[in-house]
Amino acid sequence: MCSIWRTTPREDLRDAVALGAAMVVVGAAFGALAASAHVSLLLTVAMSVFVFAGGSQFLAVAVIAAGGAPLAAVLGGLLLNLRHLPFGLAVGGLVGRSWPARLLGAHLMVDEVIAFARSRTDPARARRAYWLLGALMFVGWNVGTVLGALAGTAVPDPSRFGMDAAFPAALLALLLPALREADAARVALLGAAAALLVTPWVPAGLPVLLALAGLVAAGRAPKECEVVS
C-alpha cells in the first residue's frame, strides 16, 4: 500500500479518498438498518468483512426484517451478485497472476472499484487504482458498518435520506468521460434501455446482467485491432 500511495497520480488519490469517505456513509446506513432489523452486531460486522457486497447485504437484511427465511436472503444475494461473473472477466488481468492476489482481488471487486479501474487506460495505473480504491472502500464500508450498528435505531429508515442513491451517482460520474467515445455511448444507451425495460418484470440483479445486451452495439473491432492468425 505504501508503494501505491507514492506512485498513484494525485487525481486518482483524490477521487479514491472521496469515494472511500462516501462508503463510510453508506456503510453506516447499512449498519443502522441492520440494527433496526435486530440483527446482532457480530453478525452485521461479519457480513461486512466476509461478504463485502453492499447491495446483497442490504437485500439480506431487508429479507430478514420482513420475516423471510435466511435461505431466501442468501439466494437473493447470490442472484444480485451474478453480475460479478462478467466483471471478473473484465478485471482479471488487473488483480495479478498469483492465486492469493486473485482471491483477494475478487473479494474487493465491487462496482465502484471496477468502474474506477477500467476508466484508466494505462494498465499499470489501472492496477494501482483497483487496489487503492478496493482497500479504501473495504475499510470505509466496515468502519461505517460499525458506526451505524452502534448508532442503533437512531435512524430507523436510512434510505429516506437518499443514501441509497449516493453510489449510483458516483458510478455515473466515473463513467461519463468514457461516454465521449461513440462505441461506448451506444453500448451504454442500449444497455441502460434494456435494464430499464425489464426492471419491473424480473428479480433484482437480473437487469444488470441483461444490460450486457448493449455490447451488441459495439459492433466488430476495427481490422487493425484484429489478431492475424
Side-chain angles (χ1 to χ4, degrees):
M1 282 301 297
C2 291
S3 174
I4 291 177
W5 280 104
R6 289 196 301 266
T7 58
T8 300
R10 181 173 297 179
E11 58 270 25
D12 288 0
L13 284 172
R14 179 198 61 208
D15 294 343
V17 170
L19 286 167
M23 185 59 106
V24 176
V25 178
V26 184
F30 167 73
L33 183 64
S36 65
H38 306 293
V39 179
S40 70
L41 176 62
L42 180 61
L43 180 56
T44 300
V45 173
M47 286 178 65
S48 288
V49 172
F50 295 110
V51 178
F52 186 50
S56 295
Q57 290 181 231
F58 275 108
L59 175 63
V61 169
V63 170
I64 293 172
L71 179 60
V74 171
L75 291 177
L78 289 174
L79 178 62
L80 188 59
N81 278 345
L82 280 177
R83 69 189 188 280
H84 287 86
L85 292 175
F87 287 172
L89 296 174
V91 299
L94 296 180
V95 298
R97 297 182 180 275
S98 67
W99 278 107
R102 287 177 177 260
L103 289 173
L104 180 58
H107 190 56
L108 301 178
M109 188 177 63
V110 295
D111 302 32
E112 297 78 19
V113 174
I114 295 165
F116 190 72
R118 294 291 296 175
S119 64
R120 275 69 185 165
T121 55
D122 177 65
R125 182 181 177 185
R127 185 176 298 109
R128 289 192 296 266
Y130 185 95
W131 286 104
L132 173 65
L133 185 60
L136 288 175
M137 294 195 77
F138 181 80
V139 172
W141 175 259
N142 283 279
V143 169
T145 295
V146 173
L147 293 175
L150 292 177
T153 57
V155 184
D157 185 13
S159 63
R160 67 182 179 180
F161 294 100
M163 293 178 179
D164 53 335
F167 273 89
L171 271 176
L172 180 60
L174 288 172
L175 293 174
L176 280 177
L179 298 183
R180 295 171 185 162
E181 299 180 7
D183 285 348
R186 287 197 299 270
V187 170
L189 288 173
L190 182 57
L196 286 173
L197 285 173
V198 301
T199 294
W201 316 107
V202 301
L206 282 184
V208 178
L209 292 174
L210 295 176
L212 292 173
L215 291 174
V216 301
R220 288 176 55 84
K223 290 184 178 180
E224 60 269 21
C225 295
E226 293 180 353
V227 178
V228 178
S229 59

